Amino acid sequence: MKSRLSAMKYIKNNKRASFVLILALALTFMAMYVVAFCFIVTIESFKPFTQELPKKIIYVNLTPESLGVDQEDFEDSEEFAKAYLEARSKFSDDLEALDGISKVYYTQVLHAEYKGIVGDFGYSFPLVEPSEVPFIANHLGAKLIDGRFPEGDGEIVVDEHIMKNNDMKIGDWFLRDNYGEVFKVVGVLRSDNMAVIGTPNGFYNNGWYHVILCNEKNAVFSDVADKLGITLHELDDIDDLEESRKTYDEKVVDVVETVIDVVILVIMIFLTIAVIVAYISFMRNRVNEYCLYASLGYSRKNIYGLIMREMMIIFITGIIIGAIISIGVMELVYFLVIEPRGLVAKWFLPEQLLRIFAAFAVIVGILQIPVLIAINKIKTIDLMED
């Protein structure tokens, strides 16, 4: 009885050729995974203030029509303005009367800026009286870890991630390139949602809004509007959990995942071409070996099994080594780039692993073509002489 053809024997005796293939696969795995890791840093970094923060605080700027005030019903602008102010005040009172809403401010807001690996994102934060800042911080689950809370005009407490991301420290002007020397950083917050809170300084702002401190059940304003019997207008400016999630999904997740797909596709195409060329050369150099096996009585099926076992050993070894290299490279990227910029990383990426395994499976499938061609060309020694 013939023994089973050994897949490891050739690999052990041809370490150089096997190592080149394994290394190519390992580096390809590393490139795919680390590229995905870097891009997904943006997705993970933008998640706290787009998915968590709007569960506790939302911003609403309704048109007079939505508040039930139509300018055509008034003879002059003064009467209209008075009615609008009364409607706005009543709106705040009605909101605070709802269960799950802690407090409502009609106040100025500013924008915090956060830069990801790819792109940047801005989000609103309130400018309120100094006495209100600790209350809002407590509502947002933010703790002061350095400095102090605002005590005067134009002072801001900033989440530690935003501080690192913008290379700020206590005493610096907040986003000086955007706002000039108007708002000063006086304290550092630690929170799960990158909270930022400040006090106004004149009328430097990004608009006036009803700032609503809410719970998650009231974080979608259309539901709140239904409770109050308000019909929303298309010109209403609403920044709530629903809008934030929509923006996050469309402008961050979808865009980044599309880029990842394109990058992996490009890498896979180059890898496929390189591996096919390498494997064709790999098998051509072993034609006599395969013919010898056939002459010894091994069937084409036996030889095909040998080739596939060798291929699986090389691919699996490449994946394992690639994973080890990836961990080292990600550690390096994290400590040199991600952590110093106050970004958030996610290390285990099951969806990306599935993409990579699928890409490798496609490559193995394509390699069946040259393998089967080589198998069909195998001749025994007597036929080779003819």
Side-chain angles (χ1 to χ4, degrees):
M1 177 179 288
K2 299 186 294 297
S3 62
R4 188 184 185 190
L5 292 172
S6 172
M8 283 300 300
K9 187 175 293 184
Y10 182 85
I11 294 174
K12 288 180 179 179
N13 294 333
N14 294 269
K15 294 183 177 66
R16 184 174 180 179
S18 300
F19 175 76
V20 170
L21 285 170
I22 290 171
L23 182 61
L25 291 167
L27 292 177
T28 301
F29 179 96
M30 181 272 293
M32 289 181 174
Y33 196 84
V34 172
V35 165
F37 169 76
C38 290
F39 278 112
I40 288 176
V41 164
T42 297
I43 292 178
E44 292 301 311
S45 296
F46 291 174
K47 188 181 291 184
F49 57 82
T50 57
Q51 306 298 293
E52 298 303 321
L53 190 60
K55 292 178 181 178
K56 295 185 176 183
I57 185 169
I58 61 177
Y59 301 83
V60 177
N61 184 17
L62 299 184
T63 59
E65 288 80 7
S66 294
L67 293 175
V69 180
D70 190 341
Q71 190 167 7
E72 294 181 358
D73 295 335
F74 300 90
E75 293 182 358
D76 55 51
S77 58
E78 289 185 6
E79 289 185 6
F80 168 72
K82 181 180 178 181
Y84 176 53
L85 289 174
E86 290 175 354
R88 201 171 65 197
S89 178
K90 181 178 183 302
F91 174 61
S92 295
D93 293 339
D94 291 343
L95 284 171
E96 290 187 345
L98 294 176
D99 289 337
I101 292 182
S102 304
K103 200 162 186 178
V104 179
Y105 305 88
Y106 184 73
T107 188
Q108 303 175 67
V109 303
L110 219 57
H111 289 166
E113 190 174 282
Y114 193 62
K115 306 177 187 70
I117 295 292
V118 179
D120 54 80
F121 210 103
Y123 63 98
S124 301
F125 66 90
L127 298 176
V128 295
E129 292 303 312
S131 59
E132 297 295 327
V133 175
F135 178 80
I136 296 176
N138 183 64
H139 174 80
L140 298 179
K143 294 182 179 180
L144 186 71
I145 61 172
D146 195 9
R148 60 175 174 80
F149 280 119
E151 297 172 355
D153 294 341
E155 296 184 341
I156 297 179
V157 283
V158 184
D159 181 86
E160 57 186 336
H161 288 90
I162 305 298
M163 293 283 284
K164 286 183 180 180
N165 189 257
N166 289 277
D167 194 24
M168 290 187 293
K169 61 183 182 298
I170 292 176
D172 286 350
W173 297 106
F174 179 78
L175 298 181
R176 184 174 182 174
D177 292 342
N178 295 358
Y179 303 111
E181 297 181 355
V182 179
F183 299 97
K184 183 165 288 189
V185 178
V186 298
V188 182
L189 297 175
R190 176 170 293 162
S191 65
D192 295 330
N193 44 46
M194 299 188 185
V196 183
I197 315 164
T199 58
N201 190 1
F203 294 98
Y204 291 87
N205 61 66
N206 293 112
W208 288 75
Y209 289 79
H210 282 94
V211 178
I212 305 169
L213 305 186
C214 60
N215 59 15
E216 188 173 354
K217 291 182 179 179
N218 293 284
V220 176
F221 185 72
S222 59
D223 295 339
V224 175
D226 288 340
K227 294 177 184 178
L228 298 178
I230 294 175
T231 301
L232 297 177
H233 191 276
E234 61 180 5
L235 295 180
D236 292 332
D237 187 359
I238 298 170
D239 186 4
D240 63 354
L241 182 60
E242 183 178 51
E243 183 64 26
S244 184
R245 283 177 172 174
K246 180 181 177 182
T247 302
Y248 175 75
D249 289 339
E250 293 179 356
K251 295 186 178 181
V252 180
V253 177
D254 291 348
V255 172
V256 172
E257 288 189 348
T258 298
V259 172
I260 293 172
D261 287 339
V262 171
V263 170
I264 288 181
L265 178 62
V266 171
I267 293 174
M268 189 183 76
I269 290 172
F270 281 105
L271 171 67
T272 302
I273 294 172
V275 172
I276 288 175
V277 171
Y279 255 93
I280 290 174
S281 175
F282 194 64
M283 290 183 290
R284 278 180 178 173
N285 294 334
R286 302 177 63 187
V287 170
N288 291 339
E289 178 189 345
Y290 296 149
C291 292
L292 178 60
Y293 291 149
S295 300
L296 292 174
Y298 289 100
S299 66
R300 283 184 169 84
K301 183 177 180 181
N302 296 141
I303 298 171
Y304 174 78
L306 167 67
I307 295 173
M308 291 307 298
R309 289 194 299 276
E310 290 176 349
M311 189 183 296
M312 289 302 101
I313 290 172
I314 288 172
F315 268 74
I316 292 172
T317 304
I319 288 172
I320 293 172
I321 294 175
I324 294 171
I325 296 174
S326 296
I327 293 172
V329 173
M330 288 190 298
E331 288 275 0
L332 191 63
V333 171
Y334 180 80
F335 287 110
L336 292 180
V337 179
I338 296 172
E339 197 275 337
R341 293 177 62 181
L343 298 172
V344 179
K346 183 178 180 181
W347 296 82
F348 180 57
L349 309 172
E351 291 184 2
Q352 303 313 315
L353 286 174
L354 288 175
R355 287 178 178 178
I356 294 171
F357 292 151
F360 275 42
V362 169
I363 294 169
V364 171
I366 294 173
L367 285 175
Q368 299 306 299
I369 298 173
V371 168
L372 292 174
I373 291 173
I375 291 294
N376 289 327
K377 288 184 177 180
I378 291 177
K379 297 179 180 180
T380 56
I381 292 175
D382 56 327
L383 289 175
M384 290 176 65
E385 291 175 351
D386 292 340

